[in-house]
Amino acid sequence: MMLSYHQIKELDQEFGSSFYLLDINKLRNNYQKIDSAFKRRYQNFIIGYSYKTNYLPYLCSVMSQLGAYAEVVSRLEYDLAIKIGVDPRKIIFNGPLKTFEDIEIALNYGSILNVDSLYEMEDVKNYSEKYTSKQVKVGLRVNFDITNNGENVLQEGFDRSRFGICTTNGNFQDAVKELRELENIRIVGLHGHFSTRERKLETYENITKGLCQLAKEYIGDSLEFIDIGGGIYGELPASFKLNAPSFDDYAEAVCRIMNNEFQNNERKPYLILEPGISMVANTFQFIAKVIGTKRIKDKYFVLIDGSVHNIKPTMHKRNLPMQIVKQKVTGEKYVSYNIVGYTCMEKDYLAYEINGELPKKDDYVIFENVGAYTIVFNPPFIKERPSIVAACNNEFFVVRKKESLREFFNEDLYIFK
Ligand SMILES: *Cc1c(COP(=O)(O)O)cnc(C)c1O
């Protein structure tokens, strides 16, 4: 979104001198682009929005209104979805740690539950014994090798994922057998989410094929869904110079396999995609006022009312796409400068060696693409969390207020004296 100096100044006066801006139209656009890319090719398609990527309640609520299911990985996220008003049958409960009570609530409410590991099987069995007259459905998260032509594709170069039930050492087969013995439990789906470095089409072909083959061999007619997880690329800023597949490319690769594998099925299973980054990364900007500049030896430093935690909680060193919105265009000569934050840490750099006119006090810096894994990950450190403002058709409204001392040090939680 392009904002004038005057507009930002007004927002500053209302919401504080640093804040996030959520672009609702862009969010709707992302949803519609992903949805139509897949639905055009495979009708029974469901988006399960990955809460952990950005669980701003208002954003989750917009997702739900658009038709997305809620993909949650903890009881906290599950309860948030309920609080927002998501139909429990449209919640997908994943994640490695669920208590018996979590499982009980999810199954009683008819949510989609994907069992992550054999240790969760005990709880499913206990559930089956406690509710003998109830018919329930579960999915299984599976773990198989997605090596591509000998290359490890997982993030950080891991040679295996730690999630799901292993299909190569017999654990998965044991789980299927155990669940089959419980008359009131049916396995209705398989889930395979993998975090990969390059998010390649081949990886999604391998995941889809792997899940379809396991489903045909072990699940058969009770199959209701194939859930390929998330991890796809969204639309990227040109400056990233990555030749990323488009939503259509992913949809084509995945749906071709689904259509092929299930061409003879009268009832086609649902295809579930769980986008996180691709749905929200480009919907957030972080805007912060320039406080002042200084020179240390021959280098310029620009201090803003923000911190690296606000935009890159993992503190990677790549510069994000950004704009400087100046109060006055002065046409000064270009210099190289760093943008640094308010914390007392040496490594609090929001941007390195930017080349341009040196920003001045009261100018604003806008960082783009900060919607994924930022507000959920950013510790309130040294200062209160800034507000989040939503923008929709030139209207601006707050969806998270700026924190105050009272909320930061919640009196219900802390002991003061
Ligand atoms: C994190 C996660 C996602 C979303 O991944 P992105 O890379 O943000 O698209 C989807 N499903 C599961 C199970 C996850 O843990």
Side-chain angles (χ1 to χ4, degrees), residues 50 52-53 71 73 94 141 191 193 199 229-232 274-278 373:
S50 158
K52 75 162 187 288
T53 311
E71 190 273 327
V73 291
N94 291 326
R141 177 161 179 177
H191 176 224
H193 168 77
R199 308 163 191 272
I232 66 169
E274 301 172 343
I277 293 182
S278 50
Y373 304 104

Side-chain angles (χ1 to χ4, degrees), residues 80 88-89 104 129 139 168 210 229 244 254 369 371 387 393 413:
L80 173 64
R89 289 167 304 180
E104 188 175 30
E129 282 161 21
T168 46
V254 169
N369 256 64
S387 52
N393 306 330
L413 305 181

Side-chain angles (χ1 to χ4, degrees), residues 48-104:
Y49 170 61
S50 158
Y51 268 36
K52 75 162 187 288
T53 311
N54 185 329
Y55 41 59
L56 178 72
Y58 187 84
L59 184 154
C60 294
S61 172
V62 172
M63 279 287 111
S64 166
Q65 282 160 30
L66 288 168
Y69 283 36
E71 190 273 327
V72 305
V73 291
S74 72
R75 181 65 180 282
L76 179 90
E77 292 184 354
Y78 187 92
D79 290 346
L80 173 64
I82 296 287
K83 187 163 180 163
I84 285 170
V86 178
D87 177 346
R89 289 167 304 180
K90 294 189 171 180
I91 303 179
I92 306 165
F93 200 162
N94 291 326
L97 197 161
K98 308 176 195 86
T99 64
F100 176 75
E101 200 201 350
D102 298 346
I103 289 174
E104 188 175 30

Side-chain angles (χ1 to χ4, degrees), residues 2 226 324 355:
M2 295 296 283
I226 293 285
I324 309 285
N355 210 28

